[in-house]
Amino acid sequence: MNTAEKIIIYQVFTRLFGNRNPRCTSNGSLAENGCGKMNDFTPQALKEIRKLGATHIWYTGVLAHATQTDYTKYGIEKNHPAVVKGKAGSPYAIRDYYDVDPDLAVNVRKRMGEFEALVERTHAAGLKMIIDFVPNHVARQYHSTAKPEGIRDLGEDDDTSMDFSPNNNFYYLPGQKLAGDVNLYDEQAGSYEEMPAKATGNNRFDAYPTPNDWYETVKLNYGVDFFHNTGCHFSPAPDTWHKMKDILLFWAGKGIDGFRCDMAEMVPCEFWGWAIPQVKAQYPELIFIAEVYNPNEYRNYLYNGHFDYLYDKVGLYDTLRAVIGGYASATAITSCWQSVNDIQDHMENHDEQRIASDFFAGNATKALPALIVSACMNTNPMMIYFGQELGEPGMESEGFSGRDGRTTIFDYWSIDSIRRWNNHGRYNEHLLNAKEKGLRHFYRHVLNLCNSEAAIARGCFFDLMYANLNGWQMNEHKQYAFLRKYDREVILVVANFSDLDSRISVNIPQHAFDYLQMPAFTRCTAQELLTGREEVISFNPNTPTAIDVPAYGGKLLKIKF
């Protein structure tokens, strides 16, 4: 991995990316609504994603997961509809860790070959490839038909008479049948029966999950006894540890560049500390990204679990969301980075509800200052979700997921903005409106600056907010300012979360000049990196730097010395 490169991840939900059907119906089947394929990621598509500024592409939903679509003619067992969410199914309810999802293949029988070709195309486009690893839970009817010879299936050797055993892959409720408030009956398939019931994926250790639980999944057993308070049984390494390590090695052997590990904090950190070094011993360039929501566990999963990066969902993402929405001050960004300052290089942002949805900002333009902050603030990775750069609102009611401001992960569907950008495989802007084009150009400009400017890619960071509080020169609740410096270049970054064009003056304290070893100038010429224009500014501790910043925008003023 090039440590001088700032990682920019383009996350894409593989099933939806290439679907061109403009008339999808709610709860539509595969035959009715269609499905995108791995082959839709053509050299042209990948070239445009690379031009956007991405260094990595995260293909979400590649592993075979439970679905209501019938693939029995290909030797794939049918899943009971009562334990599948949506017609397409959740990509986080894995039914076979060793298989590619058949929905994504043009030729289902050659789906692994199509995946391997996707790896090659991705690399040929100058992108690195990340896929999901879902280690905490699997589909209720998990069964691998694609596992290599000699591999024992999950649960194949379990003693189902025991609620817990370090040698079991699942947790059981002996003598109890799966029940609860979930409707386990389907008119065509009849009743789904599970006896004994298995514990549900979201740590539900009884036989009665509700519709709000992850009822379509079962929890994997990594040696933690949740039933008898006997603690952790990690020595010798439990059977599940070995099986999951083998799965990681299998996919690493396909030439991918990294894993995004779903709900990694629900798996004991000790497992990661055991498995990741063994995988990296064979594939040292592989990166591991953990989904961890508890800030108290951040350092544990980095230092003891050996993860390369963590999601900063409850940190920077939630803070910026609050600032965009107007119910938090921009000063909150300072305390946000301070809480993870020692591990800032390992933190990464994570998008959830669509920014342009009515449930978030209602307008993608409002998030542009947040883009400037999250992309330019430090050397840590940056991630965007496909369609974000086009202002995709995600306000359709696709089926199981409902109208929630999120692009569905459960249904067969087509994304309007992505479909028009696709433009029958051309991947151009001809069918985009002016606002979408402008938004995409802004994203492309900012994301490419992340690696074309050394100060952003690998420079020092200095927060200026403490010197700009309670003053008339700058509204600290609506503007956020900081410096990035590398070698003999410094960039003054100002983000404006206000809906008004603003004339502000930024105090740059003497400590900043001392700490970053910068010369002071009464007057100097700075290049504004978002427009390319030059501006004459003061850059010294005695005179505030006057700047005009546009509404919902910002400036990046680069000074060479």
Side-chain angles (χ1 to χ4, degrees):
M1 183 173 60
N2 179 11
T3 55
E5 178 184 66
K6 182 178 172 74
I7 293 175
I8 309 294
I9 300 173
Y10 189 81
Q11 181 195 358
V12 58
F13 195 49
T14 315
R15 178 201 300 156
L16 302 180
F17 179 80
N19 191 1
R20 303 179 193 173
N21 182 2
R23 291 178 291 275
C24 292
T25 59
S26 184
N27 280 312
S29 66
L30 173 63
E32 292 168 323
N33 285 0
C35 183
K37 308 295 180 184
M38 291 179 284
N39 285 0
D40 290 317
F41 292 91
T42 62
Q44 176 65 17
L46 293 168
K47 176 185 175 183
E48 290 300 316
I49 291 170
R50 183 72 183 93
K51 283 170 62 177
L52 189 66
T55 61
H56 293 62
I57 183 167
W58 162 18
Y59 294 104
T60 302
V62 165
L63 300 186
H65 53 266
T67 179
Q68 293 190 38
T69 301
D70 187 351
Y71 284 104
T72 52
K73 69 178 181 180
Y74 299 102
I76 299 170
E77 296 177 3
K78 194 172 182 179
N79 300 121
H80 196 289
V83 286
V84 178
K85 289 182 176 178
K87 286 288 192 294
S90 167
Y92 301 111
I94 305 300
R95 64 156 184 82
D96 190 342
Y97 277 121
Y98 287 99
D99 203 358
V100 173
D101 197 81
D103 279 346
L104 305 178
V106 174
N107 185 330
V108 174
R109 297 191 193 281
K110 297 183 178 180
R111 56 193 180 276
M112 187 59 77
E114 290 187 23
F115 173 80
E116 291 164 349
L118 177 62
V119 177
E120 292 182 7
R121 285 199 307 280
T122 301
H123 289 159
L127 290 161
K128 293 183 179 179
M129 180 171 179
I130 296 170
I131 67 169
D132 289 285
F133 177 55
V134 187
N136 175 69
H137 49 271
V138 295
R140 285 214 172 261
Q141 294 177 295
Y142 182 91
H143 175 58
S144 177
T145 57
K147 63 184 186 296
E149 187 176 349
I151 296 288
R152 303 291 289 175
D153 211 1
L154 286 168
E156 187 173 349
D157 303 311
D158 281 8
D159 182 348
T160 61
S161 69
M162 302 180 68
D163 51 14
F164 168 79
S165 167
N167 297 317
N168 280 355
N169 299 134
F170 300 116
Y171 296 96
Y172 297 91
L173 289 307
Q176 299 183 60
K177 183 178 177 181
L178 184 69
D181 294 333
V182 179
N183 182 8
L184 298 177
Y185 178 78
D186 178 80
E187 287 187 5
Q188 277 78 41
S191 295
Y192 173 77
E193 295 190 0
E194 186 175 291
M195 178 72 180
K198 301 183 186 78
T200 299
N202 59 321
N203 288 1
R204 183 83 191 234
F205 295 97
D206 59 50
Y208 307 101
T210 72
N212 293 324
D213 289 309
W214 305 348
Y215 64 82
E216 83 280 26
T217 69
V218 290
K219 173 83 173 177
L220 281 168
N221 171 11
Y222 283 83
V224 181
D225 185 355
F226 289 96
F227 291 100
H228 310 108
N229 296 318
T230 62
C232 301
H233 300 256
F234 297 157
S235 183
D239 183 72
T240 302
W241 289 27
H242 291 281
K243 286 177 175 168
M244 301 309 275
K245 182 194 73 173
D246 288 344
I247 292 161
L248 288 167
L249 288 169
F250 173 83
W251 290 104
K254 297 292 181 183
I256 67 166
D257 302 287
F259 293 101
R260 176 267 186 190
C261 299
D262 178 71
M263 298 309 296
E265 71 176 320
M266 294 185 75
V267 172
C269 189
E270 290 82 354
F271 163 74
W272 299 112
W274 175 87
I276 290 177
Q278 293 185 69
V279 175
K280 286 200 170 193
Q282 296 186 45
Y283 303 95
E285 298 299 313
L286 207 65
I287 64 170
F288 283 81
I289 305 171
E291 184 180 28
V292 177
Y293 289 98
N294 181 359
N296 295 325
E297 290 292 327
Y298 283 173
R299 291 159 186 82
N300 187 26
Y301 279 79
L302 282 173
Y303 300 138
N304 299 320
H306 300 292
F307 276 97
D308 298 290
Y309 303 104
L310 306 178
Y311 283 122
D312 192 18
K313 191 271 175 189
V314 299
L316 187 60
Y317 170 85
D318 281 354
T319 301
L320 289 174
R321 176 169 181 153
V323 177
I324 292 168
Y327 41 88
S329 167
T331 57
I333 301 170
T334 299
S335 56
C336 173
W337 72 256
Q338 286 175 335
S339 68
V340 292
N341 189 38
D342 59 318
I343 56 173
Q344 186 64 50
D345 292 350
H346 301 277
M347 306 305 290
E348 189 233 322
N349 73 323
H350 182 41
D351 186 26
E352 293 197 334
Q353 281 181 317
R354 290 288 190 179
I355 294 167
S357 77
D358 296 348
F359 298 92
F360 193 155
N363 179 354
T365 304
K366 291 183 179 181
L368 295 182
L371 170 68
I372 293 171
V373 173
S374 56
C376 302
M377 190 172 171
N378 221 305
T379 58
N380 53 289
M382 168 70 183
M383 187 185 78
I384 68 166
Y385 191 43
F386 80 126
Q388 180 180 337
E389 75 278 17
L390 301 173
E392 171 58 43
M395 285 299 292
E396 297 168 305
S397 181
E398 305 98 333
F400 182 87
S401 62
R403 192 170 185 265
D404 58 1
R406 290 177 170 88
T407 294
T408 179
I409 63 170
F410 305 107
D411 306 288
Y412 294 111
W413 203 255
S414 174
I415 308 301
D416 175 62
S417 59
I418 292 292
R419 187 176 63 248
R420 287 184 287 107
W421 172 59
N422 178 311
N423 191 14
H424 303 284
R426 297 180 181 90
Y427 295 98
N428 57 33
E429 297 181 348
H430 292 179
L431 300 182
L432 301 180
N433 61 42
K435 185 175 181 180
E436 290 166 335
K437 290 178 184 177
L439 199 65
R440 190 170 188 275
H441 292 175
F442 192 90
Y443 269 80
R444 185 171 63 196
H445 198 123
V446 171
L447 295 179
N448 276 284
L449 285 174
C450 290
N451 275 306
S452 65
E453 293 295 331
I456 299 175
R458 51 190 180 275
C460 298
F461 165 80
F462 193 96
D463 190 311
L464 294 172
M465 296 304 285
Y466 80 95
N468 289 279
L469 301 177
N470 304 316
W472 56 269
Q473 297 166 320
M474 172 177 164
N475 182 350
E476 72 268 26
H477 305 302
K478 292 294 184 181
Q479 283 105 34
Y480 182 71
F482 58 93
L483 297 169
R484 298 298 308 279
K485 189 256 184 183
Y486 184 80
D487 198 16
R488 299 179 64 81
E489 296 179 349
V490 63
I491 302 174
L492 170 59
V493 183
V494 179
N496 182 22
F497 292 88
S498 171
D499 59 353
L500 300 173
D501 295 341
S502 303
R503 174 77 170 177
I504 66 171
S505 295
V506 181
N507 290 314
I508 305 174
Q510 182 64 50
H511 178 54
F513 290 89
D514 296 339
Y515 178 76
L516 296 177
Q517 298 181 329
M518 303 181 301
F521 301 97
T522 303
R523 285 169 59 84
C524 65
T525 300
Q527 181 187 15
E528 206 291 293
L529 296 177
L530 293 177
T531 62
R533 301 191 188 101
E534 290 187 346
E535 297 187 18
V536 177
I537 61 171
S538 62
F539 191 73
N540 65 78
N542 302 314
T543 308
T545 303
I547 305 172
D548 292 306
V549 285
Y552 297 135
K555 282 195 173 178
L556 285 78
L557 294 166
K558 178 180 175 180
I559 302 160
K560 294 183 179 182
F561 48 86

